[in-house]
Amino acid sequence: MRTLRAVDEVREHVAAAGAAGRSVGLVPTMGAFHDGHVALMHAALERCDEVVVSLFVNPAQFGEAADLDAYPRTEAADAAVAEALGVGALFVPSVAEMYPDGFATTVTVGALGEVLEGAQRGPGHFAGVCTVVCKLFAIVAPDVAFFGQKDAQQVLVVRRMARDLNLPVEIAAVPTVREADGLAMSSRNGRLGPADRERATALRAGLEAARAALYAGERDPRAVEAAGVAAMAGAGVTPEYFALVDPDTLEPVHPGAQRVLVVVAARVGPARLIDNLPLDLEPVATR
């Protein structure tokens, strides 16, 4: 595996792959690899001939300096994981390489990035995500880019960006990978002490309570959301948001919706966690 730190090095690497007729997959990450990242790399290696994994803690998408400072940096360990899996190249740029002096361009996607995470983290969050991902697409020119379903809104935002800008890349969503107790894997989980780690399962409990209510025939979104919030309260966690939204638009669902995305975000101790659950429902009358 090659570790590349300059844009020109990456372009030369993928140009050689393209000249040989090899398809290119990109896995954009901020490092601190866990099994969720491994699943993304496995998916990329299964579909593409050449896989590039980017490792860049993007300051543009952090609204809080403390969160940026606390984000784990584990390049050596991450490189060992990627190499063992068979990744061809690890792109590890510096901040100066990605945002050189005079950098002044921002990519935004409008309303889709202004709700949920956008509302909580501020409009700069998804602008930072879209800007860095757009740059990565321009640098790597992947055929397919792989993102985790845990960040469902991010997947939608990146897909919209790629569609609107006519970027020739497929956005593939890989299912959420969970711990044995249901907690979605996240690099931020490592910041949880034992007590907070136990409380963090409240997010999954809330999602499961919403699923149970919907499968029992409840179709009032407010009643389902209340059931989820109540389940989280049992573990002493109050969500920043808990909502039933359309999985394509993120707009609030109507009572007869048959496709629902249940989304949740909460602070547990020092970590801010997110999760979601996509559901396909049958009409109540036919259940």
Side-chain angles (χ1 to χ4, degrees):
M1 184 185 75
R2 301 180 63 193
T3 296
L4 310 174
R5 301 187 185 276
V7 169
D8 288 347
E9 291 178 321
V10 179
R11 285 184 168 152
E12 290 174 4
H13 181 82
V14 296
R22 294 168 62 78
S23 60
V24 176
L26 170 66
V27 181
T29 84
M30 293 201 296
F33 291 166
H34 49 67
D35 283 350
H37 295 105
V38 170
L40 292 173
M41 288 182 266
H42 273 308
L45 289 162
E46 288 175 0
R47 287 200 55 188
C48 302
D49 302 317
E50 183 69 32
V51 173
V52 177
V53 175
S54 65
L55 198 167
F56 179 62
V57 181
N58 178 32
Q61 68 190 71
F62 285 82
E64 301 176 8
D67 194 23
L68 173 61
D69 292 342
Y71 203 89
R73 276 84 166 171
T74 56
E75 180 185 330
D78 293 343
V81 170
E83 185 168 25
L85 290 172
V87 168
L90 190 67
F91 179 36
V92 193
S94 65
V95 173
E97 184 72 8
M98 293 299 283
Y99 300 115
D101 288 344
F103 187 88
T105 299
T106 301
V107 180
T108 62
V109 296
L112 195 61
E114 295 171 355
V115 298
L116 302 175
E117 288 299 286
Q120 290 296 324
R121 302 182 69 169
H125 172 65
F126 281 118
V129 170
C130 285
T131 301
V132 76
V133 171
C134 191
K135 284 178 65 69
L136 289 170
F137 288 175
I139 294 165
V140 179
D143 297 290
V144 190
F146 298 81
F147 294 83
Q149 175 62 32
K150 180 181 76 70
D151 298 288
Q153 185 175 8
Q154 177 174 272
V155 172
L156 292 176
V157 164
V158 170
R159 278 186 176 145
R160 174 66 59 83
M161 177 192 72
R163 187 196 72 182
D164 289 355
L165 298 181
N166 300 111
L167 302 178
V169 55
E170 176 190 344
I171 309 304
V174 177
T176 302
V177 178
R178 300 183 179 279
E179 303 282 0
D181 59 6
L183 179 66
M185 289 192 175
S186 168
S187 300
R188 290 182 170 86
N189 292 351
R191 298 169 61 185
L192 300 170
D196 285 331
R197 174 63 183 78
E198 185 174 351
R199 292 175 60 234
T201 59
L203 278 77
R204 183 63 177 177
L207 295 176
E208 291 297 342
R211 187 210 301 261
L214 287 164
Y215 282 8
E218 179 61 71
R219 288 296 182 268
D220 180 350
R222 291 186 179 181
V224 176
E225 290 164 3
V229 171
M232 294 180 67
V237 175
T238 300
E240 289 184 351
Y241 61 76
F242 191 103
L244 274 61
V245 299
D246 182 280
D248 298 319
T249 67
L250 301 182
E251 294 177 357
V253 297
H254 57 81
Q258 294 182 39
R259 295 177 62 246
V260 174
L261 181 67
V262 189
V263 292
V264 60
R267 290 188 179 274
V268 181
R272 184 176 182 278
L273 307 175
I274 63 172
D275 203 348
N276 66 85
L277 185 64
L279 296 172
D280 289 318
L281 307 173
E282 299 176 6
V284 175
T286 64
R287 292 191 67 84

